[in-house]
Amino acid sequence: MGIFDKFKKQENNISLEQLKREPYEQENFETCKWIWKNYVPKSGQASVLQGELLRELEKLRCEAQDNGNINWDSDFSYFCNFIKQTLCNQTIYADDEKVKIKLILSYLQECGEYAEKFHNGQISDKELDVEKIAYVGDNLYDIVADAIGKLQLQHPDPIPFEKNGEIKR
């Protein structure tokens, strides 16, 4: 089984390939804008969970789209795991929403870790599959952003977030 094979088909007949192909229009864009404006600081981690989740997701999006994951490190892997675990531990999401969140964040992490291996010389230019290095479309990020927006809508009061001193980004 190849590194990305586990993402081809999941329970509930949701596949990553299907999610990647389908255009997605963000439903909670205005809510996410509000979170960004009110909870995401100009630099450093947020002190509100909703803001920190969105900040981390946008760090992942920017690293992939702007840099091709060239700077991928353990902070980005942490972001994938933290967002996935935090959202999937919420009771507000249906099972199919949780499957999508898990698929997407696991895939983004696999891409980043693949890019890290390439940039560290563990994958040669000849072996490189450029399609695996970074996901640059907006649809997968927007699905996760909508989940964060849904969390804000369900919990309009700020949820305190204790900053992680191990994170540089």
Side-chain angles (χ1 to χ4, degrees):
M1 179 188 298
I3 190 169
F4 290 86
D5 290 343
K6 64 183 171 183
F7 301 116
K8 290 196 175 145
K9 264 293 191 213
Q10 284 289 324
E11 57 193 74
N12 299 345
N13 289 326
I14 299 170
S15 75
L16 181 68
E17 293 307 315
Q18 175 187 5
L19 292 173
K20 285 168 47 179
R21 270 194 318 271
E22 291 177 358
Y24 183 82
E25 189 169 331
Q26 197 174 346
E27 297 172 14
N28 295 320
F29 181 75
E30 291 301 320
T31 302
C32 288
K33 270 180 40 179
W34 188 91
I35 294 169
W36 191 265
K37 181 180 176 190
N38 292 282
Y39 293 153
V40 178
K42 292 204 183 298
S43 66
Q45 296 175 52
S47 58
V48 174
L49 180 63
Q50 297 96 316
E52 183 59 17
L53 290 166
L54 190 60
R55 184 189 81 83
E56 291 179 8
L57 177 66
E58 293 307 319
K59 287 271 189 192
L60 293 169
R61 185 192 309 246
C62 288
E63 180 57 25
Q65 292 178 345
D66 298 346
N67 302 324
N69 285 335
I70 196 169
N71 302 306
W72 191 275
D73 61 17
S74 61
D75 283 0
F76 291 111
S77 293
Y78 169 83
F79 294 162
C80 290
N81 289 322
F82 179 76
I83 297 167
K84 178 174 39 180
Q85 182 177 28
T86 301
L87 293 179
C88 290
N89 283 341
Q90 303 296 318
T91 59
I92 63 171
Y93 305 107
D95 288 344
D96 66 322
E97 291 173 302
K98 290 179 181 182
V99 167
K100 288 178 186 179
I101 290 166
K102 288 176 187 175
L103 274 172
I104 291 167
L105 289 161
S106 294
Y107 175 67
L108 296 178
Q109 184 172 356
E110 289 284 341
C111 289
E113 290 175 357
Y114 183 87
E116 184 178 26
K117 286 177 183 173
F118 172 69
H119 296 298
N120 289 339
Q122 295 172 282
I123 297 172
S124 70
D125 288 346
K126 187 177 181 179
E127 298 170 309
L128 177 66
D129 181 346
V130 75
E131 294 294 319
K132 294 180 179 179
I133 227 164
Y135 185 76
V136 297
D138 281 316
N139 57 340
L140 298 184
Y141 300 97
D142 288 348
I143 291 168
V144 178
D146 265 352
I148 296 167
K150 182 176 180 174
L151 177 64
Q152 173 63 34
L153 292 170
Q154 295 292 317
H155 298 282
D157 292 329
I159 301 169
F161 173 73
E162 189 173 322
K163 297 176 182 180
N164 182 339
E166 302 290 315
I167 298 299
K168 304 176 301 257
R169 298 187 183 279

